[in-house]
Amino acid sequence: MAREVRCKTVEEPSLVALAKTHAATPSFKNKTASGSHLSNVHLCISSSCFLSGAGQDVGRSCILVSIGGKNIMLDCGMHMGFNDDRRFPDFSYITQQGRLTEFLDCVIISHFHLDHCGALPYMSEMVGYDGPIYMTHPTKAICPILLEDFRKITVDKKGETNFFTSQMIKDCMKKVVPLNLHQTVQVDDELEIKAYYAGHVLGAAMVQIKVGSESVVYTGDYNMTPDRHLGAAWIDKCRPDILISESTYATTIRDSKRCRERDFLKKVHETVERGGKVLIPVFALGRAQELCILLETFWERMNMKAPIYFSTGLTEKANHYYKLFITWTNQKIRKTFVQRNMFEFKHIKAFDRSYADNPGPMVVFATPGMLHAGQSLQIFKKWAGNEKNMIIMPGYCVQGTIGHKILNGQKKLEMENRQTISNGQSEIERCEPGCCRLSLEVKLQVEYMSFSAHADAKGIMQLIRMAEPRNMLLVHGEAKKMEFLKDKIEQEFTINCFMPANGETTTVITNPSVPVDISLNLLKREMALGGPLPDPKKPRTMHGTLIMKDNSLRLVTPEQALKELGLNEHQLRFTCRVQLQDPHSDPDTLSRIYTHLKSVLKGYTIQHLPDGTVMVESIVIKVSSSAEEPNTKVLLLSWSYQDEDLGSFLSTLLKKGLPSGLSSM
């Protein structure tokens, strides 16, 4: 390992030091097959990242980071737009056979959305992983509920097989280690992680991963703008080697939040006034609460009578978790929580499936948010044919979902004609006999109003200024938009920016800074040698002995090192043989060498000693010849390591021979 050390002293804080290290680290094996969905970001002392999901794509986030010989999986999500093998990440990128435990040091989940945690039980229980899984306390509480809802829709209602079970979810969650914000957690002797507040949803966190002096920050999903119930993301100036950031809205700069809220309320109000129904597809926690607070306030102020409904059970669950984790909400909600719970709604009631057929206006919040399954899709099918009705999509929709199709203007939809049947204990979805395909004409008004809790382009740039990374890597976005943002980042911050596709690896060589303390005695000795005073902005070479002890580095004088370590000093000398043609006797040849060096080397101490040697500083020169070839002299040069440069110069000089006419003394 090549290393250049520049030093910092305990007594003199103006001398700061960097150690530049270059080495290779083991990386995950990399396939070249197309269409894979594991994204890999490997970080070594050269650092790298491999994308198994969310590479130039939104959904199925799964990133493998290799840093300092440690392998970490960041998120383990599912893709909302697929129902086949493409739904989950392709873990064969890590290993073709056997469990993942021996290949991964830990797994970190950023938040509870299924595109970030939906494949977790599949990965840990079906593929096989027994190591630690890190997530925040709110994520640990909410994640298993959403996973179970997802399992019910997929297995109990749709009848799919080869899927994780309720028991697998429970077994998976037993491996979870909860994280507190700003708490440094030691995964092992070398690997440590630290969580930062990310906004976005309750419990969402950005994570800093450190091995030695190398570090990576993974943002997950984050929001740089505070809203009605959550604060803005924040991170300190940690200067990571790589910042891995989502880029969902890479080219979007949102208008003012107040204008968006006013437009939203206006559209809802107009639709209700003309007797229409408004469907707002949302995910259970997050934007749902944001919009509920907004409509609750508006209904109270305007004395509106039309009913507002929320998917059964979710209001109660949301209220429970916001009470439990009130410290994760914004300052206003924390302050007023004792007097008034903002999540107890007077105008918003629980929704029953039969209400969808009721006449008259109503507003319904239904899950899930992308219309890919569940109650929101069932209501949409019933209301889509009436132009008086409206659907408002408040967030991003992944390609392949019904939400994405209608936002792109599609007016005719082909889908499975599944009906929800209740047997008194549970609900299942099945196709109508003889008609499993449904052709649906979309006549209702479709509106997209971004209340998404993702950072826009301005927010991403703001985070880069906060963290000051050395390199940037974009994930969780669309390729064309990412390309635009990549160019902007490289131009404005003059750092490298990468945007690997699924299945690609990005490797970054890092230059770690290693602090070294220097002893006062060594510093005084260097100062005594003369030269300019140390400049804190310029590197300076210092000669000493580097001691590595108790996870710290110190540069001391050789004498101090020998004393501390109880070692005897050994003199290290270099030797060199030079052949010289000279007809004189050995003593005369040595005298001629002495005369020659006196004329060439001005200012050096040169001695002709009685023992038949010449000394130049610490360099000793001896002459010998054999009886067979008396004119061929062999010069033996020996010097200490301090005079290495002078010794090399003398050996080169003497190889050229002695000048003619040179007299001996």
Side-chain angles (χ1 to χ4, degrees):
M1 180 179 288
R3 175 170 296 188
E4 176 189 339
V5 180
R6 302 173 196 156
C7 303
K8 169 187 173 184
T9 126
V10 178
E11 294 84 2
E12 176 52 71
S14 65
L15 286 180
V16 182
L18 301 176
K20 294 183 179 177
T21 312
H22 298 281
T25 330
S27 63
F28 296 100
K29 64 189 181 66
N30 188 16
K31 292 183 179 178
T32 56
S34 61
S36 65
H37 35 276
L38 195 65
S39 59
N40 187 2
V41 179
H42 284 103
L43 264 164
C44 352
I45 291 184
S46 77
S47 305
S48 58
C49 307
F50 174 78
L51 297 179
S52 177
Q56 300 178 16
D57 184 22
V58 177
R60 195 181 46 208
S61 287
C62 189
I63 302 167
L64 300 176
V65 171
S66 175
I67 171 171
K70 303 292 179 180
N71 298 324
I72 303 105
M73 179 182 288
L74 303 174
D75 282 337
C76 188
M78 57 155 289
H79 200 295
M80 304 289 191
F82 298 118
N83 291 319
D84 53 19
D85 289 345
R86 294 172 294 174
R87 173 162 42 203
F88 294 143
D90 183 1
F91 297 110
S92 68
Y93 272 91
I94 305 175
T95 175
Q96 296 262 345
Q97 53 190 358
R99 301 175 69 80
L100 300 177
T101 310
E102 60 188 277
F103 297 93
L104 296 174
D105 291 280
C106 71
V107 174
I108 300 171
I109 302 297
S110 62
H111 63 288
F112 58 68
H113 279 159
L114 292 178
D115 61 328
H116 293 260
C117 72
L120 199 54
Y122 173 80
M123 184 273 297
S124 68
E125 306 310 309
M126 297 178 76
V127 178
Y129 171 71
D130 300 317
I133 301 169
Y134 292 93
M135 58 181 74
T136 64
H137 287 275
T139 304
K140 183 186 177 185
I142 298 164
C143 188
I145 295 167
L146 297 186
L147 286 169
E148 179 59 22
D149 284 347
F150 175 43
R151 188 204 64 78
K152 282 180 181 175
I153 290 171
T154 308
V155 178
D156 295 350
K157 291 188 177 182
K158 294 185 178 179
E160 291 189 27
T161 56
N162 191 29
F163 208 77
F164 52 78
T165 64
S166 295
Q167 187 58 47
M168 286 179 182
I169 296 172
K170 292 173 185 172
D171 292 341
C172 171
M173 298 311 293
K174 288 175 185 174
K175 298 167 186 173
V176 170
V177 180
L179 291 172
N180 294 314
L181 287 178
H182 310 297
Q183 172 196 7
T184 299
V185 174
Q186 208 72 37
V187 178
D188 59 29
D189 291 342
E190 298 173 313
L191 173 61
E192 63 181 50
I193 58 177
K194 184 178 182 180
Y196 293 91
Y197 189 79
H200 188 62
V201 292
L202 191 69
M206 299 186 279
V207 184
Q208 182 185 29
I209 303 148
K210 284 188 76 176
V211 179
S213 61
E214 276 78 52
S215 68
V216 178
V217 167
Y218 174 57
T219 65
D221 292 348
Y222 64 101
N223 190 6
M224 297 300 290
T225 309
D227 55 32
R228 288 174 180 268
H229 73 297
L230 294 175
W234 181 88
I235 194 168
D236 55 26
K237 208 174 288 292
C238 51
R239 297 185 177 92
D241 292 294
I242 295 183
L243 173 62
I244 306 171
S245 171
E246 67 136 318
S247 52
T248 315
Y249 291 99
T251 58
T252 303
I253 296 180
R254 294 198 191 95
D255 54 4
S256 89
K257 187 163 152 282
R258 196 176 292 273
C259 288
R260 262 179 290 139
E261 290 179 348
R262 189 168 57 243
D263 289 347
F264 170 77
L265 293 172
K266 182 183 176 186
K267 284 182 167 57
V268 171
H269 186 235
E270 287 174 351
T271 305
V272 168
E273 285 294 295
R274 67 170 178 261
K277 296 174 170 63
V278 181
L279 173 62
I280 307 171
V282 289
F283 289 104
L285 291 151
R287 296 311 87 200
Q289 283 67 45
E290 184 78 3
L291 296 176
C292 280
I293 293 170
L294 184 60
L295 276 185
E296 173 78 7
T297 309
F298 183 73
W299 246 240
E300 185 71 27
R301 190 173 74 241
M302 301 294 291
N303 196 25
M304 301 280 286
K305 301 300 181 187
I308 306 174
Y309 298 115
F310 204 121
S311 294
T312 312
L314 289 176
T315 313
E316 292 82 357
K317 285 179 186 175
N319 201 23
H320 170 72
Y321 287 116
Y322 278 102
K323 279 181 182 176
L324 189 60
F325 300 111
I326 191 68
T327 54
W328 285 77
T329 59
N330 65 22
Q331 194 173 4
K332 182 182 177 183
I333 286 185
R334 290 199 303 272
K335 277 185 176 179
T336 61
F337 187 74
V338 177
Q339 292 81 27
R340 184 194 168 209
N341 180 1
M342 292 283 283
F343 302 106
E344 288 178 354
F345 302 115
K346 173 183 170 185
H347 297 279
I348 301 171
K349 309 298 181 188
F351 179 75
D352 184 271
R353 198 171 66 253
S354 63
Y355 294 174
D357 299 317
N358 287 356
M362 69 177 74
V363 179
V364 176
F365 290 94
T367 59
M370 298 188 191
L371 289 181
H372 57 280
Q375 201 167 64
S376 61
L377 183 57
Q378 293 301 323
I379 297 170
F380 172 75
K381 288 177 185 177
K382 290 187 177 186
W383 294 0
N386 190 336
E387 59 271 4
K388 283 184 8 180
N389 298 335
M390 177 181 286
I391 183 168
I392 298 176
M393 306 298 294
Y396 186 87
C397 289
V398 170
Q399 193 167 356
T401 59
I402 299 295
H404 186 271
K405 289 174 183 176
I406 63 171
L407 285 177
N408 279 277
Q410 201 167 322
K411 293 297 182 184
K412 284 197 175 181
L413 299 170
E414 294 287 331
M415 63 182 79
E416 290 182 338
N417 187 21
R418 290 181 174 271
Q419 297 297 318
T420 304
I421 309 296
S422 175
N423 61 11
Q425 294 180 336
S426 61
E427 295 179 344
I428 59 169
E429 286 186 3
R430 65 177 177 84
C431 289
E432 285 295 296
C435 182
C436 272
R437 300 299 297 173
L438 170 69
S439 181
L440 188 67
E441 192 171 351
V442 180
K443 291 183 179 178
L444 86 175
Q445 294 181 59
V446 178
E447 295 287 346
Y448 173 69
M449 306 194 71
S450 178
F451 286 93
S452 175
H454 292 272
D456 62 3
K458 188 177 175 183
I460 295 168
M461 302 297 270
Q462 186 183 343
L463 186 76
I464 297 171
R465 288 188 197 96
M466 263 190 191
E468 292 188 359
R470 296 180 180 91
N471 297 276
M472 192 75 191
L473 192 141
L474 299 177
V475 296
H476 201 280
E478 298 172 18
K480 286 183 180 178
K481 294 178 181 179
M482 292 167 82
E483 187 71 49
F484 176 85
L485 183 61
K486 173 182 180 294
D487 294 341
K488 187 172 176 61
I489 290 169
E490 289 180 336
Q491 183 180 350
E492 184 162 334
F493 297 102
T494 60
I495 59 175
N496 290 324
C497 183
F498 306 93
M499 43 170 286
N502 286 335
E504 288 186 358
T505 299
T506 294
T507 301
V508 175
I509 302 296
T510 63
N511 293 306
S513 302
V514 180
V516 178
D517 295 332
I518 183 171
S519 73
L520 187 58
N521 287 338
L522 180 60
L523 190 61
K524 286 178 178 177
R525 191 180 76 176
E526 290 288 326
M527 298 291 287
L529 294 174
L533 290 172
D535 184 342
K537 294 182 180 178
K538 292 182 180 178
R540 174 167 172 173
T541 303
M542 307 195 79
H543 295 278
T545 303
L546 189 65
I547 298 178
M548 303 175 70
K549 190 177 180 182
D550 299 328
N551 293 323
S552 66
L553 295 173
R554 288 186 303 125
L555 195 64
V556 300
T557 60
E559 295 79 16
Q560 185 178 341
L562 291 170
K563 185 178 177 181
E564 282 188 24
L565 301 172
L567 299 174
N568 294 322
E569 184 176 2
H570 297 271
Q571 288 292 335
L572 180 66
R573 296 187 68 84
F574 298 92
T575 59
C576 175
R577 293 175 182 271
V578 176
Q579 284 196 346
L580 185 70
Q581 296 298 318
D582 191 82
H584 300 82
S585 65
D586 291 355
D588 286 348
T589 299
L590 190 65
S591 295
R592 285 160 52 77
I593 290 171
Y594 173 74
T595 304
H596 180 45
L597 295 181
K598 286 283 284 184
S599 66
V600 173
L601 300 174
K602 306 293 184 183
Y604 285 89
T605 303
I606 305 172
Q607 304 173 70
H608 192 167
L609 301 177
D611 63 356
T613 60
V614 168
M615 281 197 72
V616 182
E617 301 296 342
S618 71
I619 301 167
V620 178
I621 304 172
K622 292 182 179 180
V623 177
S624 65
S625 60
S626 63
E628 293 81 13
E629 296 183 64
N631 292 343
T632 302
K633 311 297 183 186
V634 177
L635 309 184
L636 182 67
L637 284 75
S638 170
W639 62 85
S640 66
Y641 73 93
Q642 291 95 334
D643 288 327
E644 185 179 350
D645 292 341
L646 182 59
S648 299
F649 171 76
L650 287 179
S651 65
T652 304
L653 177 69
L654 293 172
K655 282 176 184 176
K656 296 176 182 177
L658 299 173
S660 58
L662 194 66
S663 61
S664 59
M665 292 181 67

